[in-house]
Amino acid sequence: MEKFNRSKKRDDYGAQQQYVENLSHELLTPLTVIRTEAELLLQSENIVENDLKHIDKIIETVNRLAKINRGLILMSKIHKGIYIDCEQVDICKLTERILVNFENQIELKNILVEIEKKDVVILETNKTLIEILITNALKNAISHNVINGKIEIVFSKNKIIITNTGMVGVKKPQELFNRFVSDRDSMHSIGLGLSIMKRISDYFNYSLEYSNVEKTHVVTISF
């Protein structure tokens, strides 16, 4: 009976994953249509200022839904083990390249970024997933930072530590990587970023830890 229950739970979970993936793919078309129609309305000659605000809100909401949808598809692919190709990746160089993509956000908040390379970190891993993992970590460190804040990135043996200033931390850090646990005050938080980080870390047996002391936040990824 116990073996049957385990098998049934595994089948049910697999069916649930397939349902989520199918639903996510079905949502792509209507989301694209809504965004396209809203963007066409913005080009109308008869549009008034009040309408602009409503249309901007529609586009913003659709973009948010699209991000959630992409996140669900990604998590489903990771669960299925689709990302199996591995290559040597220089984590230090990859992180510096990702930071370039956030230059505008960093400059806007006047965030000081300090990088310390204690060791060269080179992994045999899937480049797509590791890039998503680090991108999410850096994006959180920037988006949840404060004006004139600071980010410290330390590379040590098989480890990257990202420390950032920010608002007061969550009461239960151990729950932060659960799905849909997010900063409710942030318009740009989709609630899946940290969950995706956890899924990728589990996929490669990496250790992912978060801690906070008052207004300082630390994310440690151990490879």
Side-chain angles (χ1 to χ4, degrees):
M1 178 64 70
E2 183 179 349
K3 184 178 180 181
F4 172 78
N5 288 336
R6 285 201 303 268
S7 177
K8 185 177 185 303
K9 287 179 180 179
R10 186 167 56 250
D11 291 342
D12 288 345
Y13 182 72
Q16 183 185 36
Q17 287 292 320
Q18 187 63 51
Y19 173 77
V20 169
E21 185 174 351
N22 291 342
L23 179 61
S24 295
H25 281 293
E26 289 297 324
L27 284 172
L28 288 175
T29 299
L31 285 173
T32 302
V33 170
I34 295 171
R35 180 167 50 222
T36 302
E37 293 296 323
E39 289 172 349
L40 287 173
L41 283 173
L42 284 176
Q43 301 173 25
S44 173
E45 296 179 357
N46 301 320
I47 196 168
V48 296
E49 185 176 348
N50 191 52
D51 292 335
L52 281 172
K53 294 178 181 178
H54 291 301
I55 296 172
D56 282 341
K57 188 64 177 178
I58 291 172
I59 293 175
E60 179 185 318
T61 303
V62 169
N63 287 339
R64 178 180 166 85
L65 285 172
K67 287 181 181 179
I68 294 174
N69 200 50
R70 288 195 297 270
L72 290 172
I73 293 174
L74 174 63
M75 292 179 72
S76 179
K77 287 182 177 180
I78 295 171
H79 172 73
K80 289 183 175 181
I82 290 175
Y83 295 94
I84 56 175
D85 294 333
C86 292
E87 60 184 287
Q88 280 201 339
V89 180
D90 187 320
I91 302 302
C92 303
K93 289 183 179 179
L94 177 63
T95 302
E96 289 175 339
R97 182 168 62 80
I98 294 171
L99 276 171
V100 173
N101 297 329
F102 289 111
E103 279 184 348
N104 290 337
Q105 294 94 315
I106 292 171
E107 184 177 345
L108 188 64
K109 286 189 171 182
N110 194 34
I111 297 172
L112 174 65
V113 179
E114 294 184 349
I115 298 176
E116 182 181 358
K117 298 179 183 178
K118 293 182 178 179
D119 291 289
V120 175
V121 183
I122 298 179
L123 299 178
E124 186 75 21
T125 187
N126 181 275
K127 190 173 182 180
T128 299
L129 290 184
I130 200 68
E131 185 168 353
I132 292 171
L133 175 62
I134 295 175
T135 296
N136 273 284
L138 293 175
K139 181 170 65 176
N140 285 326
I142 295 167
S143 62
H144 297 291
N145 215 311
V146 294
I147 303 297
N148 300 321
K150 184 178 181 180
I151 295 175
E152 296 178 351
I153 305 171
V154 178
F155 299 96
S156 59
K157 187 175 182 180
N158 296 325
K159 185 181 295 185
I160 177 174
I161 304 170
I162 301 173
T163 304
N164 67 276
T165 51
M167 304 303 290
V168 177
V170 295
K171 294 180 180 179
K172 297 180 179 180
Q174 67 275 13
E175 295 181 359
L176 198 62
F177 294 108
N178 291 341
R179 188 177 300 180
F180 296 118
V181 175
S182 63
D183 181 359
R184 301 297 179 186
D185 295 327
S186 174
M187 292 174 57
H188 305 290
S189 175
I190 65 170
L192 275 175
L194 293 172
S195 185
I196 288 173
M197 289 175 63
K198 183 67 167 62
R199 183 63 63 89
I200 294 173
S201 297
D202 290 346
Y203 183 79
F204 290 112
N205 291 320
Y206 298 156
S207 172
L208 180 62
E209 298 175 357
Y210 165 79
S211 63
N212 62 265
V213 179
E214 295 183 348
K215 296 183 179 181
T216 301
H217 307 260
V218 183
V219 170
T220 303
I221 307 172
S222 303
F223 306 111

